[in-house]
Amino acid sequence: MADKHELRDKGLRLTPQRELVLAAVRELGHSTPEEVAEKVRLTHPGINLSTVYRNLETLENVGLVQHTHLGHGGATYHAAEELTHLHLVCGKCEAVGDAPLDVAANFVNALSDEYGFKTDVSHFAIYGTCSNCQ
Amino acid sequence: MADKHELRDKGLRLTPQRELVLAAVRELGHSTPEEVAEKVRLTHPGINLSTVYRNLETLENVGLVQHTHLGHGGATYHAAEELTHLHLVCGKCEAVGDAPLDVAANFVNALSDEYGFKTDVSHFAIYGTCSNCQ
DNA sequence: ATAGTTTGTGCGAATTCTTCGCAACTCGCA
DNA sequence: TGCGAGTTGCGAAGAATTCGCACAAACTAT
């Protein structure tokens, strides 16, 4: 398990719970802490929701996981490797679509050049109305 | 008070509380429900937080107010007239900067043309790192 | 392998933010 | 002026997330 280094290098331990949380995030794609907990409980029923929250935070600090705000309030998590697209959230049907990051390349560059602002387009969703709902 | 029509046309009333909430949102720029309540209480101490929440929602339905997700979870509100910029949120210093909507024009058009997705860029913040924090 | 140290886990309670239920109230129209 | 529907206040109910603590378990150095 290569992830072990990321953790151990910072004095953190690779516990079964932590492995399960990471595995769940990788399998689920976007998912809320609640969904991660549910997934993990399929094979390890005793895991506590607090533990999931704590591990998501820990894994995020280590850089194995990241979170995105899709709206409504709560954050959703996904594996860091998968962060190759931006999220298009439809305000009507609530669907979350994907689009490649390079659609935003010009936009990102403009903000960088004109305002010195380094944008992470995938951290927040892009809100609007999808093609099906217009 | 011209706002009266927007409300009355939908069978809604212009109560003192509602006027105060709207006035507060207009004066404050971006603000959380809590901040709106605080502002309103300066002149009308008895107003209830629930009332603020309900009125923000009502005013939003009528189109006088809109909300934006700046991150952390809660929404922030501002007058509809002021929605002429997008929000640049710095992940380090938490500062919220503004940029004119047209910086995003190409991006918005690209999403529209390529994905049929009609974007409202100002609904979600644009996340990144501001020039001061790099 | 084993003991010891330190981090992690489970559990329940505490917080924070937002929504609800309901009785009393009042805005707007006749 | 009076009626009826939309509103308000208040307290309670919810949902989501965080905390405190005692116990358990992972890694390190024997």
Side-chain angles (χ1 to χ4, degrees):
Chain A
M1 174 108 350
D3 307 318
K4 194 165 185 171
H5 300 311
E6 263 89 337
L7 290 165
R8 297 263 63 238
D9 287 352
K10 307 206 178 186
L12 302 172
R13 296 176 186 170
L14 187 62
T15 63
Q17 291 89 334
R18 208 161 268 173
E19 279 188 88
L20 288 163
V21 167
L22 180 52
V25 169
R26 284 181 168 154
E27 285 183 56
L28 292 172
H30 318 124
S31 49
T32 63
E34 195 68 51
E35 290 166 339
V36 171
E38 232 167 84
K39 173 84 180 173
V40 171
R41 283 182 182 135
L42 294 178
T43 58
H44 192 287
I47 200 168
N48 196 277
L49 229 202
S50 309
T51 300
V52 173
Y53 273 101
R54 282 183 294 222
N55 280 333
L56 286 172
E57 192 186 338
T58 302
L59 292 169
E60 182 156 36
N61 288 335
V62 177
L64 291 170
V65 154
Q66 291 195 315
H67 77 270
T68 300
H69 294 282
L70 257 38
H72 40 290
T76 66
Y77 289 81
H78 45 253
E81 313 91 79
E82 290 178 23
L83 202 50
T84 51
H85 56 272
L86 42 81
H87 311 281
L88 305 178
V89 174
C90 176
K92 291 192 180 171
C93 68
E94 307 266 300
V96 179
D98 290 345
L101 288 180
D102 53 275
V103 192
N106 287 333
F107 177 48
V108 170
N109 289 335
L111 287 176
S112 178
D113 294 347
E114 296 173 35
Y115 300 90
F117 189 86
K118 304 298 182 194
T119 305
D120 170 8
V121 239
S122 58
H123 188 73
F124 281 122
I126 306 298
Y127 182 84
T129 312
C130 75
S131 52
N132 293 329
C133 292
Q134 291 171 28
Chain B
M1 176 106 349
D3 307 317
K4 193 163 185 172
H5 300 310
E6 264 89 337
L7 291 165
R8 295 263 66 236
D9 287 353
K10 306 206 178 185
L12 302 172
R13 295 178 189 168
L14 186 62
T15 63
Q17 292 89 333
R18 205 160 269 172
E19 278 188 271
L20 287 163
V21 167
L22 179 53
V25 169
R26 285 181 168 156
E27 284 184 57
L28 292 172
H30 318 122
S31 48
T32 63
E34 194 69 50
E35 290 166 338
V36 171
E38 231 168 87
K39 174 83 181 175
V40 170
R41 283 181 182 138
L42 293 178
T43 57
H44 192 288
I47 200 168
N48 197 278
L49 229 201
S50 310
T51 300
V52 173
Y53 273 99
R54 283 183 293 222
N55 280 332
L56 286 172
E57 192 186 339
T58 302
L59 292 169
E60 182 155 37
N61 289 335
V62 176
L64 291 169
V65 154
Q66 290 195 316
H67 77 270
T68 301
H69 294 281
L70 257 35
H72 39 292
T76 65
Y77 291 81
H78 46 253
E81 312 91 80
E82 290 178 23
L83 203 49
T84 52
H85 56 272
L86 40 82
H87 310 281
L88 305 178
V89 173
C90 176
K92 292 191 180 173
C93 68
E94 308 267 299
V96 179
D98 291 346
L101 288 181
D102 53 276
V103 191
N106 286 333
F107 177 48
V108 171
N109 289 335
L111 287 176
S112 177
D113 294 347
E114 296 173 35
Y115 300 90
F117 188 86
K118 304 297 182 194
T119 306
D120 169 8
V121 241
S122 57
H123 188 73
F124 281 122
I126 306 299
Y127 182 84
T129 311
C130 75
S131 51
N132 293 328
C133 290
Q134 292 172 26

